[in-house]
Amino acid sequence: YGYVLILNDMTEQTDRYNQLEHDNAQLNYDFKHSQEKISSMYKKLVSGIISLTSKKDPVLAGHMERTGHYVTILSKELQKESKYARLVSDGFIETLSAVAPLHDCGKTLISSDVFSKQGSSLEDLELRKSHVEEGAKIIDTLFVNNPEEPFYKLGREVALFHHECWDGSGYPRGLKGEEIPLSARIVALCDEFDNLTGRQPQSMSYSFAEAYTTILSYSGGRFDPVVADAFKKCRGGFMDLYSKMTGLDKKILSSAKVKKTVEEI
């Protein structure tokens, strides 16, 4: 009789444990499914912002979108062997790549004439700089105002801090070194590369080699040296994307002259 009681008790415990395991697995599935839905919704929101921007300023919209693609390439390189490899998880890359186009969303609230002027006044310069705070306000409005929510956190970081410089000479807060969020340091380099190569009019655009050498010359000044070194290592990925964006044949970009310039660096 005692053995029967013990066996019954063990059976009941096993059943409860199995039910608990099942409930836990269901909760994990539901949570993952809800997170995927939220992520999909946020990505559609970013795509919508780019689409709306293209109606007002197609040049800006193109820049925002291309920057996101460059961020993916650079982030994956940082994930390999850099000192930031531990921080750059697959989730970090996915989210940062998705929100990177929002780095310049604040410009949609400012007249495009202000950014196209040559030799602008001090007032115009301050107005240009204000796009980072305006971008942060847009992020506050669009996303859940929760510092722990990845889309909100990274989106706000790249909008507000992508013009901070490693040496402390940037804006809006003059942050220095690792005071600047890693997300913003990554986007800053990609933003500048596309600004150089995608300038309007096209006659003012830098060639791939010119942009490449310019970016590396800013290492330790404008850009985090580790991020700049990762950029150097993933030159091929940037070149592939650049050739697709510009319609130039990669063979031309890989000419002896360009290759020599790159190798010298």
Side-chain angles (χ1 to χ4, degrees):
Y1 182 70
Y3 282 119
V4 171
L5 289 176
I6 292 171
L7 286 171
N8 286 340
D9 184 57
M10 290 177 64
T11 301
E12 289 177 5
Q13 288 188 40
T14 301
D15 289 343
R16 283 197 295 269
Y17 177 78
N18 288 337
Q19 183 62 45
L20 200 60
E21 283 282 286
H22 176 270
D23 292 344
N24 188 47
Q26 185 63 46
L27 283 172
N28 284 333
Y29 172 80
D30 292 342
F31 176 75
K32 184 178 180 181
H33 184 62
S34 64
Q35 289 295 102
E36 288 174 351
K37 287 179 68 176
I38 292 172
S39 177
S40 177
M41 178 187 70
Y42 283 153
K43 288 177 182 178
K44 288 179 180 178
L45 184 59
V46 174
S47 295
I49 292 172
I50 295 174
S51 180
L52 286 173
T53 302
S54 67
K55 297 182 186 301
K56 175 187 176 184
D57 189 342
V59 173
L60 174 59
H63 164 68
M64 292 165 67
E65 191 167 15
R66 290 191 302 273
T67 300
H69 293 310
Y70 285 125
V71 164
T72 301
I73 297 170
L74 184 56
S75 298
K76 286 182 177 179
E77 186 62 40
L78 281 167
Q79 190 183 41
K80 293 178 181 178
E81 299 177 357
S82 77
K83 62 180 283 190
Y84 304 134
R86 183 178 57 83
L87 301 174
V88 186
S89 64
D90 290 341
F92 176 90
I93 294 174
E94 181 181 0
T95 303
L96 181 59
S97 299
V99 301
L102 298 178
H103 73 283
D104 269 347
C105 66
K107 289 184 177 181
T108 60
L109 303 180
I110 303 171
S111 172
S112 57
D113 293 339
V114 173
F115 296 96
S116 61
K117 290 179 181 178
Q118 299 296 320
S120 307
S121 64
L122 183 61
E123 183 181 354
D124 285 337
L125 183 59
E126 290 303 313
L127 194 56
R128 285 183 185 179
K129 289 183 176 182
S130 70
H131 80 275
V132 295
E133 284 96 349
E134 295 298 333
K137 291 176 184 176
I138 291 175
I139 302 299
D140 287 339
T141 303
L142 292 177
F143 296 98
V144 178
N145 193 343
N146 176 5
E148 300 305 316
E149 209 295 312
F151 271 83
Y152 171 75
K153 180 178 181 295
L154 296 184
R156 198 174 196 281
E157 285 176 357
V158 302
L160 187 59
F161 299 125
H162 70 281
H163 278 293
E164 297 286 3
C165 296
W166 183 255
D167 62 5
S169 63
Y171 64 89
R173 297 181 184 172
L175 300 181
K176 185 176 182 180
E178 293 188 8
E179 293 175 350
I180 309 166
L182 178 59
S183 57
R185 283 178 263 154
I186 294 171
V187 171
L189 188 148
C190 297
D191 170 53
E192 181 61 14
F193 178 82
D194 191 71
N195 275 331
L196 292 173
T197 56
R199 285 177 171 174
Q200 296 292 325
Q202 287 299 319
S203 59
M204 296 178 63
S205 292
Y206 281 39
S207 67
F208 180 89
E210 290 171 333
Y212 180 81
T213 55
T214 299
I215 292 294
L216 293 183
S217 72
Y218 292 152
S219 178
R222 291 182 62 176
F223 304 129
D224 179 343
V226 176
V227 176
D229 186 58
F231 167 73
K232 186 175 182 178
K233 292 177 180 177
C234 63
R235 174 178 62 88
F238 268 69
M239 184 182 290
D240 286 340
L241 183 56
Y242 171 83
S243 63
K244 290 177 183 177
M245 297 298 182
T246 58
L248 294 176
D249 191 326
K250 187 181 176 183
K251 292 180 181 178
I252 297 175
L253 296 173
S254 301
S255 65
K257 183 178 180 181
V258 172
K259 190 174 182 181
K260 184 175 183 298
T261 304
V262 168
E263 288 175 347
E264 286 174 350
I265 301 171

